Amino acid sequence: MPPRIVVAGGGPVGLTAALTLARNGLPVTVIEADAGVCEGSRAICISRRSLQLLDRLGVAAPFLAKGLAWTEGTSYLGAAEIFHLRMPHAPEDRFPPFINLQQYYAEQFLADACAATGLVDIRWGHRIADVKAGPGGAALTLTPGDVLDADWLIAADGARSTVREQLGLALEGRSFERRYLITDIALKCGWPTARKVWFDPVSNPGSTIIMHRQPDDVWRVDCQLAEGEDEHEALKDENIRARISAHLAMVGLPAEWTLLWKSVYKAHTLSLAEYVHGRVVFAGDAAHLVPIFGVRGLNSGVDDAHNLAWKLALVMKGQAPPSFLATYTAERRAACLENIAAATKSTWFMSPPSPGYVLARDAVLELATRHPQFRVLIDPRQSAAHAYRSAAILGGPPAGLPLPEARLGDGRSLHDVLGGGFAVLVFAGDGLGVAPRRVGALDYLEIRIFAGDACAATLGAKHGDTFLIRPDGYVAAVLKDGDVGGALRRMGLSLEEERHAFA
Amino acid sequence: MLSPELGRGGLEALFPKLAEHIDATPPAARERFLVKAFLLLADAHGRLDTALKCLDDAKASAAHAGRGTPQ
C-alpha cells in the first residue's frame, strides 16, 4: 500500500498543498468539513506571487479569467483624498499585482485541478473528530465514521484548527480588539476595480470603511465597528442595511443593493513556534494568523502550502530526509514574522489598538491632507515575496530571492519555460536552449541563456554563471563551477536512484 | 537646558504662541493638535533619536510634577 498523505482542510491552502503533491505524482486525501466550497467571499485579494505559484501548478488561467485585476487604491479622510496607492506593475510582469476573486471560486478552481490529476481524493463533509499523532504518522478518526492512517498529515484546517487543538499546540502572539463587520453585497456599479478606504466617513463617523469590487457585480464592504459595539446588533440585517446604505449614499452609488453574506473579523498576529511536529505539518491559518490589512492571509498560506509540498514530495520519494522539512519552518516562519511586522504597522492605521494609537493615527491622517510626507504612513504595505535564508538556500546573490520576471531572447517569459520542478539556468556564449536533464535520480530542466541578452542583465548573471532554481521559483544558488549535483547534495538532497522513502 | 539654537529668547517667543494656539483650539481637539504639532516638529527636525528623547523627557517631567513637592 502506498504511503498516504492526508491534508486536513479543503480551503485554498490545503488544496494548493494537495495539487502540488499531485503534480509530483503523489496521491493525497483531503478532508474538508464543509460539504463543498466555502460560503462568502472571505480572502479575495490574490497577489502576483500567489498567481506565479498557481501558474507553476498549471491552474492560474481560470483565476485570471474570472478575477478582476487591480493596481491602484485610494484612501480618504472624510471625503478628501489623502493617499493614492499605485502598485508596481512593469511591462514584463505576466500578472497584475492583485486580482480580486471570491474564495469560493479559488477553491473551486483548485478542486477542479486536483480532480483532473486523478490523484486527489477530496472527502467533502467530513470532520476530523480525533487525531492521534505518533512517530510514524497520524491516525485520524473522521465524522461520519472512518479511520484514516496518514504517514504525513498536513494541517491546513484554518484559524480554528482541530489538528492544532488535538495536538495541544497554542498560537503565540497578540490579538487586536477592534472588529470589522465584513459583508458581500450585490451592487451594479461602474467603478473600476481598486482598493478604496474611507477613514472617519460622514456616513459612519469614527469608523473605517473598505470597499473592493469582486466578479459578478459583488462588492466587499468592510466597516469597522465602534469600540464596545454589540456584535450581534451590528450583524442584524436592518443595521447592516442602514450602515451600508448611508455609505453608498455618501459616495453617490445606487441605493439598490442586496446583502449576500456577512461576518465579523478581528485582527490577530499569532503563530506557532514550530510548524513541523513529527509527521504533522501546519500551514496557512492553522500555523499562523496575520491581519487582513495587506492581504497576507491567503497569500502567505499559498506560499506555505507550495513550499511544504514540494519539499514533502522529495521526502516521500526518498530524495530528501524528513529533516529537510526543517527548512520549511525556517523559511515560512521567518516569512510569517515579516508579515506580522508589516501587517502590524498597517493595523495601527486600520484598527488602532489603543486610544493613543487612535490619537496618533488621526493626527497623521489630518496632516496627510496638507503634508505629503505623511502619506506614506497610510500605505497599506501590500503582501510581497520574502527573502529566504535556510539550508535550502546555498547563497551567492541573488540566492534566497524569487526569480524576477524576465524575457528570454525569443520574447518568451523565463517563467513560462521553467516547468514545475528544479531548473538550472546556464549563462553561456551560445543562444537559447531548453533540455531535460537528470543528475542521479533527480530530474531538472536546463535552460541555456545567452549571457549577453536582456534576461541575463535582469538577473545580474555573468557569462559562466549557473543559477539553480527551486521548484518554488526561488534562486537556491549561483554556481561558479556548474556542479549542479554537488549543489543539490549540499542542500541536503539525496541523488540516489528513486526509491520510496517508506518502502 | 535650553537649546543653544532656540535659547531663552526663542522659547519665550514660542511660549505665548503655543498657549494661544492651545486656547484657540476647541478642548476636544487639543490633544490631536498637540500630536500634530509634535509630528510636524519631529519631521522638520529630521532626527528620530531626538524626537524619541523629547517624548521621554516630556513624560519624565510630567511624572516629576505628579509626585508633589519639588525637591
Side-chain angles (χ1 to χ4, degrees), chain A residues 359 362-364 366-367 371 373, chain B residues 31-32 35-37 39-40 43:
Chain A
L359 185 58
D362 289 349
V364 167
E366 288 184 3
L367 286 172
H371 301 276
Q373 69 269 34
Chain B
E31 273 190 332
R32 198 181 298 178
V35 173
K36 286 194 283 187
L39 290 171
L40 284 168
D43 182 59

CSV table of all heavy atoms in Angstrom, one decimal, chain A residues 359 362-364 366-367 371 373, chain B residues 31-32 35-37 39-40 43:
chain,number,residue,atom,x,y,z
A,359,LEU,N,-5.3,58.4,18.5
A,359,LEU,CA,-5.0,59.9,18.5
A,359,LEU,C,-3.8,60.1,17.5
A,359,LEU,O,-3.9,61.0,16.7
A,359,LEU,CB,-4.5,60.3,19.9
A,359,LEU,CG,-4.2,61.7,20.1
A,359,LEU,CD1,-5.4,62.6,19.8
A,359,LEU,CD2,-3.8,61.9,21.6
A,362,ASP,N,-5.1,59.5,13.9
A,362,ASP,CA,-6.0,60.6,13.4
A,362,ASP,C,-5.2,61.8,13.1
A,362,ASP,O,-5.4,62.6,12.2
A,362,ASP,CB,-7.1,60.9,14.4
A,362,ASP,CG,-8.1,59.8,14.5
A,362,ASP,OD1,-8.1,58.9,13.6
A,362,ASP,OD2,-8.9,59.8,15.4
A,363,ALA,N,-4.1,62.1,13.9
A,363,ALA,CA,-3.3,63.2,13.7
A,363,ALA,C,-2.6,63.1,12.4
A,363,ALA,O,-2.5,64.0,11.6
A,363,ALA,CB,-2.3,63.4,14.8
A,364,VAL,N,-2.0,61.9,12.1
A,364,VAL,CA,-1.3,61.6,10.8
A,364,VAL,C,-2.3,61.8,9.6
A,364,VAL,O,-1.9,62.4,8.6
A,364,VAL,CB,-0.7,60.3,10.8
A,364,VAL,CG1,-0.2,59.9,9.4
A,364,VAL,CG2,0.5,60.2,11.8
A,366,GLU,N,-4.9,63.7,9.4
A,366,GLU,CA,-5.2,65.1,9.2
A,366,GLU,C,-4.0,65.8,8.6
A,366,GLU,O,-4.1,66.6,7.7
A,366,GLU,CB,-5.6,65.7,10.5
A,366,GLU,CG,-7.0,65.3,10.9
A,366,GLU,CD,-7.5,66.0,12.1
A,366,GLU,OE1,-6.8,66.9,12.6
A,366,GLU,OE2,-8.7,65.7,12.6
A,367,LEU,N,-2.8,65.4,9.1
A,367,LEU,CA,-1.6,66.1,8.5
A,367,LEU,C,-1.4,65.7,7.0
A,367,LEU,O,-0.9,66.5,6.2
A,367,LEU,CB,-0.4,65.6,9.3
A,367,LEU,CG,-0.2,66.2,10.7
A,367,LEU,CD1,1.0,65.5,11.4
A,367,LEU,CD2,0.1,67.7,10.6
A,371,HIS,N,0.3,67.7,4.1
A,371,HIS,CA,1.7,67.4,4.1
A,371,HIS,C,2.0,66.0,3.5
A,371,HIS,O,1.8,65.0,4.2
A,371,HIS,CB,2.2,67.4,5.6
A,371,HIS,CG,2.0,68.8,6.2
A,371,HIS,ND1,2.9,69.8,6.1
A,371,HIS,CD2,1.0,69.2,7.0
A,371,HIS,CE1,2.5,70.8,6.8
A,371,HIS,NE2,1.3,70.5,7.3
A,373,GLN,N,4.5,64.2,2.9
A,373,GLN,CA,5.4,63.3,3.5
A,373,GLN,C,4.8,62.4,4.5
A,373,GLN,O,5.4,61.3,4.9
A,373,GLN,CB,6.6,64.1,4.2
A,373,GLN,CG,6.2,64.9,5.5
A,373,GLN,CD,5.8,66.3,5.2
A,373,GLN,OE1,5.2,66.6,4.1
A,373,GLN,NE2,6.1,67.2,6.1
B,31,GLU,N,-5.7,67.6,22.1
B,31,GLU,CA,-4.8,66.5,22.1
B,31,GLU,C,-4.3,66.3,20.7
B,31,GLU,O,-3.1,66.1,20.5
B,31,GLU,CB,-5.4,65.2,22.6
B,31,GLU,CG,-5.4,65.1,24.1
B,31,GLU,CD,-5.9,63.7,24.5
B,31,GLU,OE1,-6.7,63.1,23.8
B,31,GLU,OE2,-5.4,63.2,25.5
B,32,ARG,N,-5.2,66.2,19.7
B,32,ARG,CA,-4.8,65.9,18.4
B,32,ARG,C,-3.9,67.1,17.8
B,32,ARG,O,-3.0,66.8,17.1
B,32,ARG,CB,-6.0,65.7,17.5
B,32,ARG,CG,-5.7,65.0,16.2
B,32,ARG,CD,-6.9,64.8,15.3
B,32,ARG,NE,-7.9,64.0,16.0
B,32,ARG,CZ,-9.1,63.7,15.4
B,32,ARG,NH1,-9.4,64.2,14.2
B,32,ARG,NH2,-10.0,63.0,16.0
B,35,VAL,N,-0.5,66.6,19.1
B,35,VAL,CA,0.2,65.4,18.5
B,35,VAL,C,0.7,65.9,17.1
B,35,VAL,O,1.8,65.6,16.7
B,35,VAL,CB,-0.7,64.2,18.4
B,35,VAL,CG1,-0.1,63.1,17.6
B,35,VAL,CG2,-1.0,63.7,19.8
B,36,LYS,N,-0.2,66.6,16.4
B,36,LYS,CA,0.2,67.0,15.0
B,36,LYS,C,1.4,68.0,15.1
B,36,LYS,O,2.3,67.9,14.3
B,36,LYS,CB,-1.0,67.7,14.3
B,36,LYS,CG,-2.1,66.7,13.9
B,36,LYS,CD,-3.0,67.3,12.9
B,36,LYS,CE,-4.0,68.2,13.7
B,36,LYS,NZ,-5.1,68.7,12.7
B,37,ALA,N,1.4,68.9,16.1
B,37,ALA,CA,2.5,69.8,16.2
B,37,ALA,C,3.8,69.0,16.5
B,37,ALA,O,4.8,69.3,15.9
B,37,ALA,CB,2.2,70.8,17.4
B,39,LEU,N,4.5,65.9,15.7
B,39,LEU,CA,4.9,65.2,14.5
B,39,LEU,C,5.5,66.1,13.4
B,39,LEU,O,6.5,65.7,12.8
B,39,LEU,CB,3.7,64.4,13.9
B,39,LEU,CG,3.2,63.2,14.7
B,39,LEU,CD1,1.9,62.7,14.1
B,39,LEU,CD2,4.2,62.1,14.7
B,40,LEU,N,4.9,67.2,13.3
B,40,LEU,CA,5.5,68.2,12.3
B,40,LEU,C,6.9,68.7,12.7
B,40,LEU,O,7.8,68.8,11.9
B,40,LEU,CB,4.5,69.4,12.1
B,40,LEU,CG,3.3,69.2,11.3
B,40,LEU,CD1,2.3,70.3,11.5
B,40,LEU,CD2,3.7,69.0,9.8
B,43,ASP,N,9.3,65.9,12.2
B,43,ASP,CA,9.6,65.7,10.8
B,43,ASP,C,10.5,66.9,10.3
B,43,ASP,O,11.5,66.6,9.5
B,43,ASP,CB,8.3,65.7,10.0
B,43,ASP,CG,8.5,65.6,8.5
B,43,ASP,OD1,9.1,64.5,8.1
B,43,ASP,OD2,8.1,66.4,7.7
